[in-house]
């Protein structure tokens, strides 16, 4: 990410604190986003989509239901991210917007890199060989893939709205197209 993108993100966080929520903390938000990502990605991989209704927007859920049913098992297994297997987390875009009724929203796109031992074919398209990490010695060789996922979190900041974040976008590139 460019320094400008980083600065812009920080500027938006400042606006969120100034105008919407003085208690907003990037660290706390990131911690919560990681937990949510881990829970949601595991439920996705177990096809327990009915348990996601409180966490994921209805539109996204509808699309996921169709996509998940078509996935091979290896790809489905690869969706699951243990919280300890999340290697790196970064913010993508932060957006603040108002709709026509004057409702206020903030959305934050989070990008996660996580290790997963699913038995993916070596030629996962677009996955560089570099991203196959081998743990242990020759006999106990354990191959893990470093995979990425993008989850967008949205919250309404209109006076009196519930202080809940909803996931409004879920992308697991090359696994869940």
């Amino acid at each position: 990410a460019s320094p400008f993108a980083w600065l812009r993100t920080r500027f938006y966080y400042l606006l969120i604190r100034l105008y919407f929520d003085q208690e907003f903390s990037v660290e706390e938000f990131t911690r919560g986003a990681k937990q949510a990502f881990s829970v949601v990605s595991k439920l996705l991989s177990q096809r327990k989509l009915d348990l996601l209704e409180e966490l994921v927007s209805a539109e996204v859920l509808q699309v996921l239901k169709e996509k998940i049913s078509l996935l091979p098992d290896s790809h489905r297994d690869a969706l699951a991210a243990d919280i300890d297997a999340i290697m790196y987390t970064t913010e993508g875009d932060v957006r603040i917007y108002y709709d026509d009724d004057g409702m206020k929203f903030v959305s934050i796109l989070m990008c996660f890199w996580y290790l997963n031992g699913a038995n993916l074919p070596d030629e996962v398209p677009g996955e560089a060989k570099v991203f196959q990490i081998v743990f242990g010695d020759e006999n106990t060789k354990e191959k893990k893939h470093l995979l990425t996922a993008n989850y967008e979190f949205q919250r309404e900041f209109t006076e009196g709205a519930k202080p809940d974040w909803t996931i409004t976008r879920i992308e697991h590139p090359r696994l869940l197209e």
Side-chain angles (χ1 to χ4, degrees), residues 18-168:
L18 284 174
Y19 290 107
F20 299 137
D21 181 4
Q22 279 132 17
E23 307 291 296
F24 180 80
S25 134
V26 186
E27 291 74 21
E28 217 169 287
F29 171 79
T30 304
R31 217 179 12 254
K34 276 169 80 165
Q35 283 174 333
F37 164 58
S38 178
V39 168
V40 169
S41 68
K42 285 180 186 168
L43 289 171
L44 278 180
S45 97
Q46 296 159 5
R47 285 202 182 120
K48 294 184 177 165
L49 293 160
D50 44 336
L51 296 177
L52 293 176
E53 278 171 17
E54 299 290 297
L55 302 165
V56 179
S57 75
E59 302 80 48
V60 172
L61 214 47
Q62 201 42 56
V63 174
L64 286 172
K65 281 179 178 163
E66 291 162 28
K67 287 183 175 179
I68 292 281
S69 61
L70 303 169
L71 276 194
D73 287 353
S74 58
H75 281 56
R76 238 191 33 248
D77 293 345
L79 296 174
D82 270 325
I83 194 118
D84 302 335
I86 302 171
M87 297 289 109
Y88 184 65
T89 305
T90 180
E91 310 105 23
D93 239 6
V94 179
R95 292 184 308 142
I96 295 176
Y97 52 97
Y98 295 80
D99 73 2
D100 298 339
D101 303 325
M103 291 160 82
K104 298 184 281 199
F105 294 92
V106 170
S107 73
I108 303 175
L109 182 68
M110 297 297 285
C111 312
F112 303 98
W113 279 258
Y114 64 103
L115 287 173
N116 178 294
N119 189 15
L120 289 171
D122 282 349
E123 63 289 349
V124 174
E127 186 188 25
K129 281 282 181 240
V130 197
F131 289 158
Q132 303 223 335
I133 299 161
V134 177
F135 294 90
D137 59 26
E138 277 309 301
N139 312 324
T140 60
K141 211 155 70 161
E142 198 191 344
K143 201 162 61 169
K144 294 210 173 185
H145 298 263
L146 182 61
L147 300 166
T148 61
N150 306 312
Y151 279 49
E152 184 180 61
F153 296 84
Q154 184 191 75
R155 181 177 155 190
E156 187 188 337
F157 278 94
T158 316
E159 196 71 41
K162 288 202 310 221
D164 298 338
W165 291 91
T166 304
I167 297 169
T168 48

